[in-house]
Amino acid sequence: MTDASPTIGATGAEAEEPLSADPHAGTGGQSATTAVARTPNADGSVTGPDGTPVFTGEAPAGKTFWANLNSPFQLGLLLTLGGLVAVMLGLAFWNLSTIIIYVVFALFAALGLDPVVRWLGKHSVSRPWAIVIVYTVFAVVFAGVLLLVVPTLVKQISAFIADLPQLIKDFEASDFYAWLNSTFGDQVGEITDQVQKFLTNPANIAAIGGGVVNFAVNVGTTISGLIIVLVLSLYFLAGLPSMKVAFVRFVPARNRAKATGMTDQITDSIGAYLMGMVVLAFCNSIVAFLLHLFLGLPFPALMGVLAFCITLIPLIGSVLYWITATVIALFSGWLPALIFAVIYLVYMQLEAYVLTPKVMNKAISVPGALVVIGAMVGGTLLGLLGALVAIPVTASILLIIKQVFIPKQDAKF
């Protein structure tokens, strides 16, 4: 009878192996030599001898705070402070929105006047004197427009309010009104009476304007805003070259040549676009004034100013004015309204295919869909100003994408 031995059923080599795995060994009974080879890396991760990552049950050093949440109070405090800072920045931006609009408007006005200043510079006129000439001419033209248009405009607005009942009576006696009445019934007459009562009631007019006091406040705010924009645009126009240089210095030195070219291209295209929009709006106002004058339509000066303001809206401004002016012309009869609508429609085609390409030849082209989207977004955020500056901003973004982002993507294989 033999004694029990731990080597029963095992070879001599197996008998020399320990019965339990080394506590320092890894999973699957790895040896101590393998465990020693699993040294931590600089980032806290652990890799095996073959370079494969090894799970140790602990989060990496960079993610320990977020994975284990060792300091929940500190995390909550940081999140709360971050939320408060975000809210404070949002409130500050909201309170400063008017000033931001003034600054943006002044900057775009400076960019719009810069092509004229540079054109004078090419004809041996120094930049300071060119700026003086531009602003002097602008002040003279603006004062002349005010002296010529404002008295007539006030007179025609007063005449429009006074003659409104007679205009409605003439409209009710026209053939167009008879056609509307025969087509849609007595509801047309009821709507016309309600419109007349609403427009001839001074209380409603005051309510539309927000009251006399609010109207006076709005006028004062508008005048002060125009003065601020004028002064800021003067400073921006004088310092525009140095502003470009300072902006380019934020770019790494190896990319400054390309950034300088892009900056010049963007500013030149914005200036050309804004000047082109003003020129086209002025042409629209002249055409509208002459049409109303020669066709005997009422309030030609008022409609000319209205045409200038509405046609500043990109893409749809001319169409909006065409519809509005045609509807107003119907009060004078269907024949003058029809003649006005046809002639102005012909001018719109001439503007789209002849004037616009010539005036906008230096501006960046933008797809029509992006023009509509940009105008809607800008108009929603900043009103008429937003709709006016949305197109050059969209064009600038497209230029950056074409010359910066796409080349980087093309260089990747």
Side-chain angles (χ1 to χ4, degrees), residues 57-401:
E58 296 181 359
K63 297 183 179 181
T64 302
F65 177 78
W66 297 100
N68 298 332
L69 295 179
N70 297 324
S71 303
F73 177 77
Q74 182 180 1
L75 174 61
L77 181 61
L78 289 176
L79 292 177
T80 303
L81 291 177
L84 290 175
V85 170
V87 172
M88 292 175 63
L89 290 176
L91 292 175
F93 182 82
W94 178 261
N95 292 328
L96 296 175
S97 59
T98 303
I99 299 177
I100 295 173
I101 291 174
Y102 290 162
V103 171
V104 173
F105 200 4
L107 181 59
F108 273 85
L111 292 175
L113 295 175
D114 186 60
V116 182
V117 173
R118 288 190 285 108
W119 181 81
L120 292 174
K122 293 179 181 179
H123 292 77
S124 302
V125 180
S126 62
R127 188 173 182 87
W129 278 109
I131 294 174
V132 171
I133 293 172
V134 169
Y135 272 84
T136 302
V137 172
F138 175 78
V140 171
V141 172
F142 185 71
V145 170
L146 289 180
L147 292 176
L148 292 176
V149 174
V150 170
T152 305
L153 197 63
V154 172
K155 185 185 298 183
Q156 291 187 357
I157 291 175
S158 302
F160 175 77
I161 296 175
D163 296 342
L164 187 60
Q166 184 62 37
L167 289 175
I168 293 178
K169 290 181 180 179
D170 295 339
F171 175 68
E172 291 176 347
S174 63
D175 297 335
F176 181 70
Y177 178 81
W179 176 80
L180 288 176
N181 198 14
S182 62
T183 304
F184 299 101
D186 297 334
Q187 295 179 353
V188 178
E190 296 177 358
I191 294 174
T192 305
D193 294 337
Q194 292 177 2
V195 170
Q196 180 180 358
K197 292 178 181 179
F198 180 82
L199 294 178
T200 54
N201 189 353
N204 294 330
I205 303 298
I208 293 175
V212 177
V213 177
N214 290 335
F215 179 77
V217 171
N218 292 332
V219 171
T221 303
T222 302
I223 294 175
S224 63
L226 289 176
I227 295 174
I228 293 173
V229 169
L230 184 63
V231 174
L232 282 177
S233 64
L234 178 62
Y235 281 108
F236 286 154
L237 187 59
L240 194 59
S242 59
M243 290 171 61
K244 291 181 182 179
V245 174
F247 175 76
V248 171
R249 294 188 67 182
F250 285 97
V251 181
R254 63 179 181 274
N255 298 326
R256 285 178 183 173
K258 185 176 182 180
T260 302
M262 290 183 58
T263 303
D264 292 336
Q265 188 174 356
I266 289 174
T267 53
D268 292 345
S269 63
I270 291 176
Y273 173 81
L274 294 177
M275 287 296 296
M277 288 297 299
V278 173
V279 170
L280 292 177
F282 181 74
C283 293
N284 275 277
S285 65
I286 295 297
V287 171
F289 173 78
L290 294 177
L291 283 177
H292 279 76
L293 187 64
F294 289 126
L295 292 176
L297 298 174
F299 320 116
L302 176 61
M303 298 307 296
V305 174
L306 185 64
F308 181 83
C309 296
I310 294 181
T311 53
L312 283 175
I313 303 174
L315 194 65
I316 61 173
S318 299
V319 179
L320 288 177
Y321 178 75
W322 176 62
I323 296 173
T324 304
T326 303
V327 171
I328 294 176
L330 286 172
F331 286 91
S332 300
W334 66 269
L335 184 59
L338 180 61
I339 296 175
F340 173 84
V342 172
I343 295 177
Y344 196 82
L345 183 61
V346 172
Y347 168 76
M348 288 170 56
Q349 303 305 314
L350 181 66
E351 180 189 50
Y353 293 101
V354 178
L355 294 180
T356 301
K358 290 183 177 296
V359 174
M360 298 292 190
N361 57 352
K362 293 184 179 180
I364 302 176
S365 59
V366 182
L370 293 182
V371 170
V372 177
I373 295 173
M376 290 191 299
V377 173
T380 303
L381 295 177
L382 299 176
L384 178 60
L385 172 63
L388 181 63
V389 304
I391 309 304
V393 169
T394 305
S396 303
I397 295 174
L398 286 178
L399 179 65
I400 294 173
I401 291 175

